[in-house]
Amino acid sequence: MSENENKDKLLEEEINSFRNTIGTADRSGNRKWVFAKKPSGKYFNYRSIVAYLLLAFLIITPFIKIGGNPLFKFDVINREFYIFSYPFFTSDFAIFAIGMVTTMVFIILFTVVYGRIFCGWICPQTIFLEMVFRRIEFWIDGDRNKQMKLAKQEWDEEKIRKRLLKWTIYAIISFIIANILFAWIIGIDALKELVVEGPIEHLSTFAGLLIFTGLFYFVFTWFREQACVLVCPYGRFQGVLIDKKTIIVAYDYKRGERIEGRARFKRGQDREAEGVGDCIDCNNCVVVCPTGIDIRNGTQLECVNCTACIDACDEVMTKINLPTGLIRYASEENIAEGKEFKFTPRMIAYTAILVILMGVLTSFLFIRSDVNSKFLREPGTDFKVVNETIITNQFQFMLENKTKNIEQMHFVLKSHPNGVIELVGLPTPILIQSGQLIEGKAIISIPLEDISSYKEKIEIEVLNEDNKVIDKYTTSFAAPFK
């Protein structure tokens, strides 16, 4: 290999060295603390509105009840779940399975089309870190340069005061976040009970609260963007799922580099005529990045599509009277072909599929019956003929109350009004507690003259104490050949 080839190889390795490292660690694996510049601009304002609406939803939702039931509750320990105030139980596994499949398909299709917009705009980790904790940090420590100076500063009175103030506020907010999480899990009533009766009466719950407080404090005080880069699997999904048509935060290298590459700004210079790119190498897009990457290197694992680099670049372009959009939402195909972003038929089709999937899942949630019943002929039994006029079958039944109320229920043979349902060893009506599952046996008798087939279809209705039909079940009834 010639000397020039060696130089070219070394240069290429240096240019692509970022692909062998991450923006938050050096080559030795040591943590590189990211001192991000305070973001500002159009996209940041939009993100702030979205973030504060989501934070309001997160905080207010546990207090909302409909019909005495919480709007949302996910008590995994006690297996008590509410979605839009509808109680769900372990028997609703089918809906849960459909929800999981729908979620996976949604993630895949959404990422294929829109990249990591979720990470930058909706993810709780990003919202809390960028819109809460970093804002406090900017308020106490100052912007990027002041933070870097403070980090290198000796532990004098100023540094101790600022660190104690910041860490104390962080601890308080982490405790508040943990309480909000518990309100979603155990419910606001149980949380109020914990507060009123004191932690001594609820040691296990309080210990869990402290553990989560410590976890949140660790993540938002020290671990920070490492959670997105090293722990969250979504970043790995990104590398597999995105393609040249996926919408990402992209640097327009054709316009930014042109023929002669980047160059510092000069007044009165015709950059396009000279073949010089519009990127003036100001580095603003780098210092504002919360994960410490250079977006000009292309799509990277660490990029969460937060748009901070778009705002920073647009601000510089405006100041030097060059068109904005050097960094923008676009696909790799848009950049390579010099096209502006627009909705393609593929994006429209995928978005329609996403809407349909969410609609199907939502419909399953709302059409679910409050009572689950099932009647099956008892295995190994056959019909019996009583007085040569009545045919009887023995059934096993299952009845589950999916409401939060105690219900009185009884059965009616809707398809055969002259038929009788007799419960074995159980009173009529059945008193069933909230979430309770009752299994038993029933003998169904139907006059022979009302039977038209050796495998008669029968419909059983479940009625409450107000004689309101709350569930139906269709099964078969064995009878003699006619």
Side-chain angles (χ1 to χ4, degrees):
M1 187 179 291
S2 66
E3 185 178 345
N4 288 335
E5 288 176 336
N6 276 327
K7 288 181 179 179
D8 290 341
K9 185 179 180 181
L10 290 172
L11 180 61
E12 184 178 354
E13 289 179 354
E14 184 180 350
I15 292 172
N16 292 312
S17 62
F18 74 93
R19 300 198 182 278
N20 301 319
T21 59
I22 58 175
T24 56
D26 58 24
R27 289 185 174 276
S28 302
N30 297 319
R31 173 75 179 274
K32 284 167 57 179
W33 193 266
V34 176
F35 294 98
K37 183 182 178 183
K38 187 176 181 179
S40 63
K42 177 181 69 175
Y43 282 104
F44 180 74
N45 293 336
Y46 292 155
R47 285 178 57 220
S48 298
I49 294 171
V50 172
Y52 293 133
L53 287 175
L54 290 174
L55 285 173
F57 174 81
L58 183 71
I59 296 169
I60 295 172
T61 297
F63 293 91
I64 300 175
K65 291 184 178 182
I66 299 177
N69 296 334
L71 187 61
F72 290 99
K73 184 180 178 181
F74 304 95
D75 191 346
V76 179
I77 297 174
N78 296 315
R79 293 176 296 178
E80 190 175 9
F81 306 93
Y82 290 88
I83 302 176
F84 297 110
S85 292
Y86 282 81
F88 284 81
F89 301 89
T90 51
S91 59
D92 292 309
F93 178 78
I95 296 178
F96 175 77
I98 292 170
M100 290 298 294
V101 172
T102 301
T103 300
M104 290 304 299
V105 174
F106 187 92
I107 289 173
I108 291 170
L109 292 182
F110 190 88
T111 305
V112 167
V113 176
Y114 299 106
R116 292 182 72 177
I117 289 179
F118 171 84
C119 295
W121 290 73
I122 303 173
C123 176
Q125 162 73 15
T126 302
I127 289 175
F128 277 115
L129 179 58
E130 301 301 324
M131 299 299 175
V132 179
F133 286 87
R134 282 201 196 272
R135 286 205 167 189
I136 293 169
E137 191 167 58
F138 289 133
W139 170 59
I140 295 174
D141 292 349
D143 208 343
R144 181 174 186 269
N145 292 334
K146 291 183 178 180
Q147 290 180 24
M148 294 172 69
K149 180 181 177 182
L150 188 65
K152 296 176 181 178
Q153 190 172 311
E154 294 293 330
W155 282 91
D156 56 12
E157 182 183 351
E158 179 193 14
K159 186 169 182 176
I160 292 173
R161 174 172 49 81
K162 288 186 175 181
R163 286 289 186 265
L164 284 177
L165 176 62
K166 183 172 71 173
W167 292 342
T168 301
I169 294 175
Y170 281 3
I172 294 171
I173 294 177
S174 298
F175 183 72
I176 293 172
I177 296 173
N179 276 271
I180 294 171
L181 175 66
F182 268 52
W184 279 75
I185 296 175
I186 66 176
I188 194 65
D189 293 333
L191 186 63
K192 288 178 180 177
E193 188 177 325
L194 170 65
V195 174
V196 173
E197 296 182 1
I200 303 300
E201 299 294 325
H202 304 272
L203 278 177
S204 59
T205 305
F206 185 68
L209 188 65
L210 291 180
I211 290 171
F212 276 101
T213 299
L215 178 63
F216 291 132
Y217 182 79
F218 167 75
V219 169
F220 294 117
T221 303
W222 186 82
F223 203 55
R224 296 193 160 194
E225 69 285 337
Q226 300 280 72
C228 304
V229 177
L230 302 178
V231 178
C232 181
Y234 196 34
R236 273 61 179 176
F237 274 127
Q238 178 196 24
V240 176
L241 297 175
I242 67 171
D243 57 24
K244 292 183 178 180
K245 298 180 182 293
T246 302
I247 297 303
I248 56 175
V249 171
Y251 165 66
D252 189 343
Y253 59 88
K254 286 201 164 184
R255 176 188 152 193
E257 312 290 327
R258 289 200 177 95
I259 300 172
E260 300 297 329
R262 309 167 194 164
R264 291 290 181 179
F265 175 71
K266 296 179 182 178
R267 291 188 180 277
Q269 181 184 28
D270 189 342
R271 301 177 73 88
E272 187 171 0
E274 295 180 16
V276 177
D278 280 356
C279 178
I280 64 172
D281 216 11
C282 64
N283 222 40
N284 279 10
C285 61
V286 179
V287 298
V288 80
C289 178
T291 58
I293 64 169
D294 188 340
I295 192 63
R296 296 172 297 180
N297 289 330
T299 304
Q300 295 158 73
L301 168 69
E302 301 96 312
C303 180
V304 294
N305 283 202
C306 70
T307 68
C309 55
I310 297 180
D311 283 332
C313 186
D314 283 352
E315 182 182 5
V316 172
M317 291 294 107
T318 301
K319 288 179 179 178
I320 61 177
N321 294 319
L322 288 176
T324 58
L326 183 58
I327 303 174
R328 63 182 185 273
Y329 274 124
S331 66
E332 291 183 12
E333 186 177 77
N334 292 151
I335 300 297
E337 297 178 4
K339 296 179 180 178
E340 292 297 322
F341 162 73
K342 64 178 182 180
F343 275 94
T344 62
R346 186 186 83 150
M347 292 180 66
I348 296 172
Y350 278 23
T351 303
I353 293 173
L354 293 176
V355 172
I356 292 171
L357 284 174
M358 295 306 296
V360 169
L361 179 59
T362 303
S363 66
F364 272 113
L365 295 177
F366 285 103
I367 65 174
R368 189 211 67 163
S369 173
D370 287 338
V371 172
N372 187 23
S373 63
K374 185 179 292 185
F375 284 79
L376 299 173
R377 285 185 56 226
E378 189 167 3
T381 64
D382 201 356
F383 65 87
K384 293 182 179 180
V385 181
V386 180
N387 297 328
E388 298 183 355
T389 59
I390 303 294
I391 308 299
T392 66
N393 279 202
Q394 190 164 313
F395 283 80
Q396 293 177 338
F397 74 88
M398 180 271 292
L399 184 65
E400 184 181 18
N401 180 9
K402 295 183 178 181
T403 70
K404 293 304 293 180
N405 304 315
I406 300 174
E407 297 283 356
Q408 284 188 351
M409 302 180 189
H410 60 280
F411 307 125
V412 171
L413 198 58
K414 175 68 175 177
S415 58
H416 296 74
N418 295 322
V420 176
I421 301 176
E422 180 184 353
L423 304 184
V424 179
L426 289 172
T428 301
I430 299 174
L431 188 68
I432 183 169
Q433 303 292 325
S434 170
Q436 184 181 8
L437 174 66
I438 292 179
E439 295 178 324
K441 294 182 180 181
I443 296 174
I444 299 180
S445 305
I446 301 177
L448 181 60
E449 61 184 16
D450 292 342
I451 297 174
S452 58
S453 170
Y454 74 95
K455 199 173 183 181
E456 187 82 358
K457 292 293 182 184
I458 61 174
E459 184 183 27
I460 301 169
E461 289 184 341
V462 182
L463 288 77
N464 62 13
E465 57 184 329
D466 298 324
N467 287 323
K468 179 182 177 182
V469 178
I470 51 179
D471 197 28
K472 295 179 181 180
Y473 193 84
T474 302
T475 186
S476 61
F477 183 90
F481 283 98
K482 280 195 172 184

